[in-house]
Amino acid sequence: MLPYGRQSIDDEDIAAVTAALRGDFLTTGPTVGAFEAALSARLGGPGCVAVTSGTAALHVAYAAIGIRPGDEVITTPITFVATAAAAVLQGAKVVFADVEAETANLDAAAVDALVTTRTRAITAVDYAGHPAEYEALTKVARRADVTLIADAAHSIGSTYRGVPVGSLADVTTLSFFPTKNVTTGEGGAVAATDPAVLDRARRFANQGTVRERELMRAPDEGGWFYETHSFGLNYRLPDVLCALGLSQLRRLGQFKAARARLVARYHEMLADVPGLTVPAQRAWADPMWHLYPVRIADGRRREVYDRMRAAGVGVQVNYVPVHLHPVFQDLGYRAGMCPVAERFYSEELSLPLFADLTDADQERAVEALRAVLG
Ligand SMILES: *Cc1c(COP(=O)(O)O)cnc(C)c1O
């Protein structure tokens, strides 16, 4: 089965991991800091903490900005469930705002209408790699005096009005799962513009441990001593995986160009297929495309999905709107709450897209699609 997404690993990636395995540190060594510094440079300069997954990054982000029971977090239903679930685990009530019909990104006006005195954060998702409308979202966040979070699991390498993803929101979370734009196997990161938020993020991802002498309550206890000042988890990304991440970051430009070329080819090959809409791109966006999400009209998405899969083309649907999952249904969320998102879901199909996708495989995917829609 041709997958919808997969990693690209070359000899330099393998050499980087091998070198880390031969080194003194499998984890908590110097490669972690080197990876965080390289990542920061890619994101336009915010401080970064490497963590074990995109889900961990979201949990760390919500913890670091102090989300707690009674708080409300507004987000999009067109995302992976972790965007919302991590906020619920911090005790928040998640409020789903509807999306824009064309990009499936959070609709700033819909967010604005849902702000209350309990709102603490707005989490946007750069769906498919296309940045959300950050100017409008920032205005809403500033007026409400809440934190703007970007779940950029899809969009490392993208820019919005020339500004890189990572420098568009107060806090940005990333995922390095194998299907994403760059990978560490499992992995993720949190970037934050406020150093105090970054400190809390690092602390939460390191079991709440304090080793800085100037912060300790008993600094003269002895050289072995450390203190725990808050509760945290172990979300550290090991050196071995940071080595892979460092190597992958060097290839980011190459990956972006490969994805852009494939997207241009899809646009061209699919332009005249009846009942099919290719993904929209705003003039101000320079996306690093993670997904190639087409929309299929006339209730035929299921048929196209089944027949393409039967033909060996591993198409995917991104995403089941989060509020429709049983865990949210059991909390009282209902179909009809986000009609634009629900309609998008009913039509969406992600075609194979990854840096090493061959022209022949891409053509095979297009033929399989044309065999259904003519
Ligand atoms: C992949 C993804 C996540 C979760 O990342 P993991 O690394 O798989 O934990 C969160 N949000 C979005 C939008 C994602 O695509």
Side-chain angles (χ1 to χ4, degrees):
M1 179 84 72
L2 177 65
Y4 81 97
R6 64 159 287 148
Q7 70 278 14
S8 168
I9 300 293
D10 72 2
D11 288 344
E12 284 183 21
D13 293 324
I14 293 166
V17 172
T18 308
L21 283 169
R22 291 185 198 284
D24 290 331
F25 295 92
L26 294 183
T27 191
T28 69
T31 315
V32 178
F35 176 54
E36 289 173 346
L39 187 61
S40 169
R42 283 285 178 191
L43 303 181
C48 293
V49 183
V51 295
T52 48
S53 70
T55 303
L58 286 155
H59 192 195
V60 168
Y62 291 128
I65 65 166
I67 295 294
R68 53 196 173 97
D71 293 343
E72 292 180 3
V73 173
I74 302 175
T75 191
T76 166
I78 298 295
T79 183
F80 181 63
V81 67
T83 315
V88 177
L89 285 172
Q90 282 298 111
K93 176 186 167 196
V94 170
V95 178
F96 293 103
D98 215 339
V99 299
E100 300 174 355
E102 286 188 353
T103 61
N105 278 334
L106 208 47
D107 180 336
V111 174
D112 199 30
L114 292 169
V115 169
T116 73
T117 53
R118 290 178 299 281
T119 307
R120 288 289 312 280
I122 297 165
T123 307
V125 173
D126 301 328
Y127 176 76
H130 189 295
E133 210 347 337
Y134 283 100
E135 249 170 38
L137 289 168
T138 300
K139 265 187 208 149
V140 175
R142 292 294 167 264
R143 203 160 47 228
D145 192 24
V146 305
T147 304
L148 181 60
I149 300 174
D151 177 348
H154 297 184
S155 61
I156 186 173
S158 302
T159 68
Y160 169 91
R161 299 186 194 278
V163 179
V165 161
S167 294
L168 294 163
D170 302 308
V171 179
T172 301
T173 64
L174 302 160
S175 165
F176 308 126
F177 190 73
T179 56
K180 305 293 166 73
N181 290 351
V182 297
T183 190
T184 59
E186 299 281 1
V190 181
T193 53
D194 178 350
V197 171
L198 196 74
D199 281 350
R200 288 197 295 274
R202 199 177 289 288
R203 199 85 67 204
F204 185 75
N206 280 278
Q207 297 128 327
T209 303
V210 172
R211 292 178 188 278
E212 299 91 328
R213 197 184 149 75
E214 67 278 12
L215 297 179
M216 285 191 183
R217 292 191 194 169
D220 299 321
E221 178 75 14
W224 65 86
F225 197 63
Y226 63 88
E227 295 176 353
T228 303
H229 288 195
S230 54
F231 296 112
L233 293 162
N234 175 357
Y235 279 151
R236 291 188 297 264
L237 193 64
D239 281 57
V240 175
L241 298 185
C242 287
L244 178 55
L246 256 177
S247 178
Q248 289 266 302
L249 283 182
R250 280 185 218 116
R251 304 178 62 205
L252 187 75
Q254 167 204 328
F255 290 161
K256 182 172 180 177
R259 286 173 178 271
R261 184 181 152 276
L262 290 163
V263 164
R265 270 170 57 86
Y266 267 137
H267 282 349
E268 201 180 300
M269 289 192 281
L270 297 173
D272 62 340
V273 178
L276 184 110
T277 308
V278 301
Q281 182 174 333
R282 302 285 190 228
W284 39 255
D286 175 20
M288 175 155 173
W289 289 102
H290 161 57
L291 300 172
Y292 190 80
V294 300
R295 278 177 291 151
I296 291 161
D298 309 320
R300 300 188 68 191
R301 193 271 309 277
R302 172 74 187 262
E303 179 192 355
V304 176
Y305 174 93
D306 287 343
R307 286 182 55 188
M308 287 186 76
R309 284 256 166 177
V313 179
V315 286
Q316 180 62 286
V317 171
N318 301 94
Y319 288 94
V320 176
V322 174
H323 64 291
L324 301 185
H325 281 290
V327 72
F328 282 100
Q329 292 283 297
D330 291 350
L331 291 172
Y333 296 81
R334 290 290 172 261
M337 291 174 101
C338 294
V340 182
E342 290 164 31
R343 166 128 197 230
F344 184 87
Y345 162 65
S346 73
E347 298 181 342
E348 197 273 342
L349 192 71
S350 301
L351 305 187
L353 182 67
F354 48 93
D356 292 346
L357 178 64
T358 65
D359 288 2
D361 277 341
Q362 186 181 28
E363 284 153 24
R364 190 156 71 80
V366 169
E367 274 160 32
L369 178 57
R370 279 185 177 278
V372 190
L373 293 183

